[in-house]
Amino acid sequence: MAIQQQIQEAAIKSLEQLYGKTFTAKDFQINKTKPEFEGDYTVVLFSLLKPLSKSPDALGNELGKHMVESHPSLFTSYNIIKGFLNLTVADAFWMQVLTQNYNDVCFGKGALKHQKVMVEYSSPNTNKPLHLGHLRNNFLGWSTAAIINANGYETVKTCIVNDRGVHICKSMIAWQLFANGATPQSTNTKGDHFVGDYYVKFNDEYKAQVETLIGKGVDKATAEKEAPIMKATQQMLLDWEAGKPEVMELWKEMNSWVYAGFDTTYKRIGSDFDKIYYESNTYLLGKKTVQEGLSKNVFIQKEDGSVWIDLTADGLDEKIVQRKDGTSVYITQDIGLAQQKYDEYKIDESIYVVGDEQNYHMKVLQLICKKLGLPYADSIHHLSYGMVELPTGKMKSREGTVVDADDLLDEMERVAQQKTEELGKVKDFTAEELKELYKTIGLGALKFYLLRVDPKKKMIFNPEESIDFHGYTGPFIQYTHARIKSILRKEKVQAEKVHDTSLLKLEKELLIDLENFPSVIEQSGHEHNPSHLANYVYNVAKTFNSFYTEHSVMNAESEEKKQLRLLICELTANVIASGMRLLGIHVPERM
RNA sequence: GGUCCGGUAGCUCAGUUGGAUAGAGCAUCAGCCUUCUAAGCUGGUGGUCAUUGGUUCGAAUCCAAUCCGGAUCACCA
């Protein structure tokens, strides 16, 4: 059990024995003691004063005395400053944490929950390559799933590929018009970029056609509707839905190019899925639900045949769920897919990693499911994340200010190589080992940079800052790990030589941090927020570096101290590696 | 206009189930490598926690109003 919880329970027990009153964990707080005071953990007494009619000093003394006396192996002393009861935890406790967990690769993991959680993330469109925004989504989704898994839940990583619709047809039309039969192979272009280029070409041509029409005196709205390339696109969408063979063939071929490109990038960033849904297979789902909704009077049909739900009583609007021509809209598909996920996997919780621009949509989705009385409605959770912006403002694909994922990864690796060469610490590495290291560092820097920020906040991506490998960064943590490993290569731990011993300030500080690892994993999972873990691992690395500078391991004051510090090194490396793994970041043995 | 989210050091961010003198990194200044990897460590400078009012022993944190920025409110996805 976590020390903080143990202290809380000890306090509850003491309060009961002293005053005959029962308190719960919510009635008072246990905090880490601020560094400027003596002690490790602090009971905040203020909220207990009134119910017990005690002064801070009286309560502090009575409670402190009772807690220390009834747990002689856990607490060694206490002191009271104002309304704060500071407790010093026995070194023996920290030693126990150390010796029990130093070589346990499962340290931090939670007990099996026998529940299944699905995490949907990435969900790309097949008309353009991945960009920086997708990276935030992928890293968040992958890491959240890993963290939830570490908390003892079975996880299913999934993704819905938006492989149909008008945006896909735009790329297809442009390819027909301008490509002269070119392919990714013939032009030596990565498939997703190749298709994306035709999406851009479409927009250029469309814009030109609209302007020509406006020049001829057509009003803007009409011009946008009547531009030949747009009309052709709309016709193609109808042909696709009708299953016209040559359209289907082109669609399949162009999508296959995109998938080949995506596969390369996903492999590179370590994103993977247990199940992939394709919109072309799911876009008709949900129609049955619409009928059920109508018969339950949850939905209403208007005179023109369109179907709506009235959410005004919930502070939202009226929302259409089926067009007058009987075709389904986006949210209808989502209702259908939610049902399918539930049917196929019997999931207990369903997490959607979707940008905050769709907060309203997700709210509506869940509300509709609730009103339909669907059993999984309450298990839907939206992991909403903010947009990634550049120092110059928003990324806009039309203005060419989008940071391409592949380009960015190349750049990160290039900088990793340059910095590694400047430092010259791994000159004996083979070419292959070097390549692997550059990838590890470059990708680690990027992932950490994107994951260290609270998901729900929008973030600024500063290209220069992101490639800084000092301070609060992934490479800093990787470097700390490599440093520790360098020591551990020199000497093997002999745990039996370590006995109870008094701990120095930095030794204890590090152990207090390390003991907290399981709680941080739990909190990150519970809140669907990997940034807590990122912050935590950074702090562990930072504390270790202070310890490392202050105290020598190999030339320790005594053999016993040396062995103790080797154990601390082992546990620290273990926690850093495990924590980083849950963020999807590898840590090198040397760098 | 309605709804939702955000505003903390020059910059990027922690800290928000209310707790002690608000913390990191970057930048800047001053130190530390004949000793386990200096991608490191130690210290200095830097704050009206957007503003105003309220709640109370105590507010960056809760409530209200205001200002600023963003998202969203399509028979688009």
Side-chain angles (χ1 to χ4, degrees):
Chain A
M1 200 199 308
I3 182 66
Q4 206 155 339
Q5 209 178 331
Q6 287 190 46
I7 294 172
Q8 186 118 41
E9 289 185 7
I12 288 171
K13 205 179 271 178
S14 286
L15 288 166
E16 196 159 9
Q17 289 175 13
L18 282 168
Y19 311 113
K21 284 200 178 178
T22 307
F23 293 92
T24 67
K26 283 181 182 157
D27 295 325
F28 62 101
Q29 286 182 23
I30 309 293
N31 295 339
K32 260 187 87 169
T33 304
K34 298 248 168 196
E36 55 267 37
F37 302 102
E38 195 194 325
D40 301 324
Y41 281 90
T42 297
V43 185
V44 182
L45 301 171
F46 297 104
S47 58
L48 297 167
L49 301 179
K50 214 174 251 178
L52 294 171
S53 310
K54 290 266 174 190
S55 72
D57 274 359
L59 175 61
N61 274 309
E62 289 167 12
L63 181 59
K65 188 162 180 275
H66 193 275
M67 285 178 77
V68 172
E69 281 177 358
S70 53
H71 299 87
S73 58
L74 194 54
F75 305 116
T76 53
S77 67
Y78 71 92
N79 67 82
I80 301 141
I81 298 168
K82 292 192 234 170
F84 299 93
L85 168 60
N86 303 320
L87 293 156
T88 300
V89 177
D91 286 346
F93 173 84
W94 304 116
M95 287 301 298
Q96 194 190 331
V97 170
L98 179 61
T99 52
Q100 281 180 0
N101 300 300
Y102 76 98
N103 61 355
D104 178 7
V105 290
C106 289
F107 176 56
K109 288 194 178 179
L112 290 182
K113 305 292 191 295
H114 305 292
Q115 286 198 359
K116 207 180 280 184
V117 179
M118 181 174 260
V119 183
E120 177 195 297
Y121 68 101
S122 196
S123 304
N125 292 338
T126 57
N127 64 332
K128 51 177 185 262
L130 304 177
H131 59 69
L132 180 53
H134 293 116
L135 292 180
R136 188 178 197 193
N137 181 305
N138 273 276
F139 297 162
L140 270 174
W142 193 96
S143 174
T144 300
I147 291 167
I148 286 172
N149 187 256
N151 275 307
Y153 296 88
E154 189 182 333
T155 48
V156 184
K157 286 177 282 187
T158 187
C159 150
I160 168 86
V161 180
N162 302 116
D163 63 344
R164 50 136 251 139
V166 72
H167 53 291
I168 312 296
C169 291
K170 288 177 180 176
S171 295
M172 286 160 68
I173 283 287
W175 183 85
Q176 281 185 333
L177 289 173
F178 305 115
N180 292 318
T183 66
Q185 291 76 20
S186 75
T187 55
N188 196 24
T189 313
K190 194 161 166 281
D192 49 340
H193 290 264
F194 179 85
V195 172
D197 289 345
Y198 286 96
Y199 186 70
V200 173
K201 278 204 176 72
F202 171 92
N203 282 308
D204 292 346
E205 178 63 19
Y206 176 53
K207 213 168 141 192
Q209 290 185 5
V210 168
E211 266 165 31
T212 307
L213 286 173
I214 291 175
K216 286 180 183 166
V218 181
D219 69 273
K220 197 178 172 220
T222 310
E224 284 174 352
K225 250 185 235 168
E226 295 299 319
I229 197 168
M230 182 56 90
K231 294 204 79 160
T233 304
Q234 246 120 30
Q235 182 57 48
M236 183 176 263
L237 185 59
L238 290 175
D239 290 343
W240 184 90
E241 295 197 1
K244 199 175 172 186
E246 57 265 41
V247 172
M248 297 306 285
E249 204 172 306
L250 176 61
W251 172 72
K252 280 182 190 160
E253 178 156 44
M254 288 186 75
N255 270 349
S256 75
W257 295 338
V258 173
Y259 295 145
F262 281 174
D263 280 351
T264 305
T265 305
Y266 280 139
K267 206 164 206 171
R268 191 173 183 189
I269 63 176
S271 252
D272 57 348
F273 306 97
D274 303 306
K275 167 75 183 180
I276 296 178
Y277 292 101
Y278 295 92
E279 196 194 338
S280 53
N281 294 328
T282 64
Y283 81 108
L284 295 174
L285 295 174
K287 286 197 173 191
K288 212 175 85 191
T289 318
V290 170
Q291 290 312 311
E292 286 167 14
L294 274 171
S295 62
K296 284 184 193 167
N297 290 321
V298 174
F299 298 150
I300 43 172
Q301 190 150 30
K302 296 202 172 174
E303 282 163 20
D304 63 3
S306 59
V307 181
W308 297 73
I309 184 165
D310 184 0
L311 300 172
T312 48
D314 300 277
L316 305 177
D317 308 274
E318 282 197 332
K319 188 86 188 171
I320 191 162
V321 294
Q322 188 170 296
R323 296 189 186 101
K324 67 182 170 199
D325 62 6
T327 58
S328 56
V329 294
Y330 185 54
I331 198 145
T332 324
Q333 304 170 30
D334 273 353
I335 297 166
L337 182 56
Q339 179 75 48
Q340 182 159 338
K341 285 174 171 178
Y342 180 74
D343 291 343
E344 281 183 19
Y345 288 95
K346 300 280 171 280
I347 44 178
D348 298 283
E349 190 181 355
S350 189
I351 298 172
Y352 292 74
V353 183
V354 176
D356 64 6
E357 58 201 349
Q358 295 195 48
N359 281 355
Y360 179 76
H361 173 81
M362 292 303 299
K363 211 169 171 179
V364 170
L365 173 64
Q366 179 159 37
L367 196 51
I368 291 177
C369 290
K370 265 187 197 168
K371 289 195 182 279
L372 287 169
L374 301 174
Y376 49 86
D378 287 323
S379 72
I380 292 175
H381 293 285
H382 178 198
L383 199 179
S384 168
Y385 65 93
M387 297 293 104
V388 184
E389 294 175 11
L390 301 172
T392 48
K394 288 187 173 178
M395 292 194 286
K396 286 187 179 141
S397 44
R398 273 170 298 171
E399 291 169 25
T401 54
V402 173
V403 177
D404 178 76
D406 295 310
D407 291 349
L408 181 57
L409 291 164
D410 289 344
E411 172 67 5
M412 297 304 289
E413 285 180 24
R414 193 189 62 73
V415 176
Q417 173 170 3
Q418 183 199 321
K419 305 230 169 183
T420 303
E421 284 171 354
E422 277 170 17
L423 291 167
K425 293 180 183 180
V426 287
K427 287 182 175 157
D428 57 324
F429 271 31
T430 66
E432 200 148 310
E433 286 170 332
L434 283 172
K435 204 176 155 205
E436 184 66 28
L437 180 63
Y438 302 152
K439 191 189 155 181
T440 300
I441 296 173
L443 186 57
L446 186 59
K447 284 192 177 181
F448 193 84
Y449 186 84
L450 291 175
L451 285 174
R452 67 182 208 186
V453 179
D454 186 339
K456 72 168 184 284
K457 294 194 175 181
K458 74 172 184 202
M459 64 180 293
I460 312 279
F461 179 83
N462 186 329
E464 285 175 23
E465 190 188 312
S466 72
I467 56 175
D468 186 356
F469 292 172
H470 300 268
Y472 186 16
T473 66
F476 169 90
I477 299 165
Q478 292 172 321
Y479 171 72
T480 307
H481 179 264
R483 265 183 149 182
I484 299 173
K485 285 295 180 169
S486 167
I487 295 174
L488 294 175
R489 271 193 300 274
K490 291 187 166 68
E491 183 127 353
K492 221 170 161 59
V493 186
Q494 295 169 280
E496 68 282 358
K497 286 193 182 170
V498 181
H499 306 287
D500 277 1
T501 171
S502 65
L503 297 165
L504 296 172
K505 192 165 175 288
L506 281 165
E507 293 167 342
K508 183 157 108 174
E509 209 172 299
L510 195 42
L511 287 173
I512 291 175
D513 276 354
L514 293 167
E515 192 273 340
N516 209 18
F517 187 46
S519 302
V520 173
I521 293 179
E522 197 182 339
Q523 190 203 4
S524 295
H526 185 70
E527 295 182 17
H528 307 157
N529 186 346
S531 76
H532 292 308
L533 183 59
N535 269 293
Y536 168 80
V537 178
Y538 167 70
N539 277 315
V540 168
K542 201 171 142 54
T543 306
F544 179 85
N545 280 320
S546 296
F547 160 81
Y548 177 94
T549 311
E550 190 73 22
H551 305 295
S552 175
V553 176
M554 300 307 289
N555 297 313
E557 305 87 284
S558 66
E559 177 63 19
E560 188 164 46
K561 270 290 180 200
K562 179 173 162 183
Q563 293 299 331
L564 166 76
R565 287 176 192 162
L566 282 168
L567 280 188
I568 292 178
C569 285
E570 187 102 27
L571 182 59
T572 305
N574 191 354
V575 165
I576 288 177
S578 299
M580 291 292 262
R581 193 183 312 120
L582 295 179
L583 298 172
I585 302 171
H586 297 287
V587 285
E589 297 290 308
R590 290 178 57 196
M591 66 185 275

